[in-house]
Amino acid sequence: MSKRLVQNKEEIIENIRAFHTFVGLRRTAEDEKEYKDRVWDAIWIIKSRIGEDYFWTPSKFVGYYRNNKPNTLAFHRKQKAIDGSDGRETTPKLKGLLLEIDPKIYPIVEGDADYDQIDNEYKAFQEKICGKSSNYGTAEIKRKYWVLGEEFSI
């Protein structure tokens, strides 16, 4: 199984959709834990609109693509065990792709005017999924966000 990073807007959208197909579906206990862990540990997070709702997707999940099929929780879990796949590869790739698609998409980090509002929205999502919220992603690192525009609506 070789890892490949996303190459275009369509693959980004497919992976966002794949991550959120787990919401409301029957899934294994292992998938349920993996989904909650991804929501809890995320550092770089993509906010996108699906219908009338907004969803939050970890960038390291969005950034990988395999054999022309969208990423899945099972694939992400196996790939991480095989080669340590993480956000150090996906973050730069996504940053370049997102800016290429829409130059108005920029990272929102602590200290930015919109940060507190977006971080509070994410914490509400985190509370809904995990039953609790945190001010940090994994390793006590402050979260960072990309907010996708209407061209990414799913």
Side-chain angles (χ1 to χ4, degrees):
M1 206 179 341
S2 66
K3 62 183 172 179
R4 178 172 82 76
L5 301 176
V6 291
Q7 301 297 311
N8 55 51
K9 176 178 141 181
E10 291 72 25
E11 291 177 356
I12 291 170
I13 290 171
E14 284 181 58
N15 278 348
I16 291 170
R17 184 179 290 124
F19 188 76
H20 293 289
T21 59
F22 296 97
V23 178
L25 296 178
R26 296 188 78 198
R27 49 191 177 230
T28 67
E30 189 176 31
D31 279 346
E32 180 76 24
K33 182 182 180 326
E34 183 75 15
Y35 181 77
K36 287 179 179 181
D37 286 351
R38 295 307 96 210
V39 169
W40 185 258
D41 290 340
I43 296 171
W44 276 98
I45 302 156
I46 296 173
K47 178 183 178 184
S48 57
R49 190 176 183 148
I50 301 176
E52 295 301 312
D53 297 317
Y54 286 93
F55 284 87
W56 307 85
T57 313
S59 66
K60 64 183 158 187
F61 185 92
V62 173
Y64 289 108
Y65 208 77
R66 175 186 58 92
N67 298 330
N68 298 320
K69 295 181 183 172
N71 205 342
T72 64
L73 287 173
F75 167 69
H76 184 76
R77 187 170 44 247
K78 289 176 191 170
Q79 195 66 36
K80 187 173 181 182
I82 291 168
D83 63 17
S85 297
D86 64 26
R88 288 177 288 209
E89 294 175 303
T90 58
T91 299
K93 178 64 175 182
L94 285 168
K95 181 179 180 181
L97 262 177
L98 293 172
L99 285 172
E100 183 180 305
I101 294 164
D102 183 351
K104 295 181 295 239
I105 296 174
Y106 59 92
I108 297 173
V109 299
E110 185 179 26
D112 290 346
D114 297 338
Y115 183 83
D116 288 341
Q117 177 186 339
I118 290 170
D119 194 53
N120 285 333
E121 291 172 10
Y122 183 75
K123 285 190 276 191
F125 175 76
Q126 198 178 46
E127 180 81 34
K128 179 180 170 185
I129 301 301
C130 302
K132 58 185 177 178
S133 66
S134 170
N135 290 323
Y136 302 95
T138 192
E140 299 295 311
I141 298 171
K142 282 291 214 175
R143 289 182 288 265
K144 302 164 185 84
Y145 301 93
W146 282 301
V147 178
L148 304 186
E150 291 300 315
E151 66 278 5
F152 283 90
S153 290
I154 296 173

